[in-house]
């Protein structure tokens, strides 16, 4: 509620989870309030994503929108969406997959936000580098490795991937991860990114082939 102080719960930050783009030292969030972003990265019905500077480090704050429709009735019995996405990112990191680094969870009354290290680069939707086929193969491999870990990403669209300056795809939205119940659904993440890639103005037939090659070649 307005007027309440923010409380922050910082995640464990094991050295093996640190990525090249991560801050060297965990920023100090004492007294931080996510009210004055340096930039708004996304603002749509699903929620708001903003960029902040904390203790000389750039961090991303994700504020999911409140549940709508019938989901409002079951939301009191579920973890907050920000916490669910945060926990999923932590699980993928634990098996060595490149996802954005979860730093902490913030709470103000009933409002929850997730705090993540900024991943520098551009989205897969905007990426047009000369190594694009290799990047797409790597995206396919990561989707297969995600299914091998027991998950499928139902929202693996091109705007949910950041390609770092050295060409590493990083999954930057783990909210769409679902446990695999039926093996027939394990290609759902691949199908989602394929559908999105086909709509890009930069789409070439080789893009689809590279994604499929990476996904199929990474089969255990």
């Amino acid at each position: 509620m307005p007027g309440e102080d923010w409380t922050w719960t910082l995640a464990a930050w094991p050295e093996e989870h640190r990525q090249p783009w991560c801050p060297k030292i965990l920023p100090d969030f004492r007294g931080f309030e996510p009210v004055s972003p340096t930039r708004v990265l996304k603002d749509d019905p699903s929620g708001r994503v903003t960029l902040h500077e904390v203790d000389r480090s750039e961090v991303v704050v994700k504020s999911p929108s409140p549940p709508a429709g019938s989901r409002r009735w079951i939301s009191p019995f579920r973890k907050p969406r920000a916490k669910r996405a945060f926990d999923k990112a932590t699980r993928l990191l634990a098996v060595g997959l490149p996802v954005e680094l979860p730093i902490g969870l913030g709470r103000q009354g009933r409002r929850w936000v997730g705090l993540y290290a900024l991943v520098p680069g551009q989205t897969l939707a905007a990426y047009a580098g000369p190594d694009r086929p290799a990047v797409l193969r790597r995206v396919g491999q990561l989707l297969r490795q995600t299914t091998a870990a027991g998950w499928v990403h139902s929202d693996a669209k091109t705007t949910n991937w950041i390609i770092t300056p050295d060409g590493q795809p990083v999954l930057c939205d783990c909210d769409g991860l679902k446990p695999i119940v039926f093996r027939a659904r394990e290609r759902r993440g691949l199908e989602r990114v394929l559908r999105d890639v086909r709509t890009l103005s930069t789409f070439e037939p080789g893009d689809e082939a590279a994604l499929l090659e990476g996904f199929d070649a990474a089969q255990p």
Side-chain angles (χ1 to χ4, degrees):
M1 296 177 59
E4 291 190 35
D5 292 333
W6 280 90
T7 58
W8 296 94
T9 303
L10 299 185
W13 226 31
E15 187 65 30
E16 61 267 24
H17 291 170
R18 196 183 302 274
Q19 302 291 342
W21 60 81
C22 297
K24 301 297 183 187
I25 301 174
L26 185 64
D28 184 352
F29 291 97
R30 287 175 296 184
F32 172 60
E33 295 188 4
V35 292
S36 301
T38 58
R39 184 154 49 106
V40 176
L41 302 178
K42 186 185 84 167
D43 194 356
D44 61 25
S46 67
R48 198 164 190 253
V49 181
T50 52
L51 184 66
H52 299 256
E53 184 172 317
V54 182
D55 195 21
R56 293 173 292 180
S57 294
E58 288 186 306
V59 297
V60 173
V61 173
K62 296 193 172 187
S63 308
S65 298
S70 60
R71 295 184 179 182
R72 287 180 300 174
W73 306 112
I74 63 173
S75 61
F77 307 100
R78 303 180 71 193
K79 290 181 181 179
R81 185 176 153 204
K83 191 174 190 311
R84 296 199 306 269
F86 191 90
D87 290 345
K88 291 172 185 178
T90 302
R91 291 183 186 185
L92 285 193
L93 276 174
V95 295
L97 292 177
V99 301
E100 60 183 343
L101 185 74
I103 296 176
L105 284 166
R107 182 178 183 180
Q108 184 190 45
R110 295 184 179 180
R111 181 186 175 193
W112 288 77
V113 301
L115 210 64
Y116 299 83
L118 175 70
V119 181
Q122 55 188 150
T123 65
L124 179 58
Y127 189 76
D131 57 344
R132 182 180 171 89
V135 167
L136 290 169
R137 278 194 293 273
R138 180 63 176 145
V139 169
Q141 291 169 1
L142 292 174
L143 286 170
R144 169 59 77 176
Q145 290 167 12
T146 300
T147 65
W151 299 86
V152 63
H153 200 303
S154 60
D155 195 27
K157 58 191 178 184
T158 54
T159 52
N160 282 342
W161 296 87
I162 296 293
I163 312 303
T164 65
D166 62 354
Q168 170 66 59
V170 179
L171 187 57
C172 287
D173 189 339
C174 293
D175 191 40
L177 285 167
K178 311 288 183 186
I180 297 177
V181 178
F182 303 106
R183 300 309 299 181
R185 296 183 178 178
E186 65 181 18
R187 298 180 73 90
R188 183 171 292 181
L190 176 68
E191 292 164 357
R192 179 66 180 91
V193 73
L194 277 171
R195 188 164 70 246
D196 221 25
V197 164
R198 293 184 189 117
T199 67
L200 300 177
S201 60
T202 54
F203 173 72
E204 296 181 3
D207 294 347
E208 184 170 344
L211 278 164
L212 291 170
E213 179 185 340
F215 188 84
D216 293 332
Q219 293 188 59

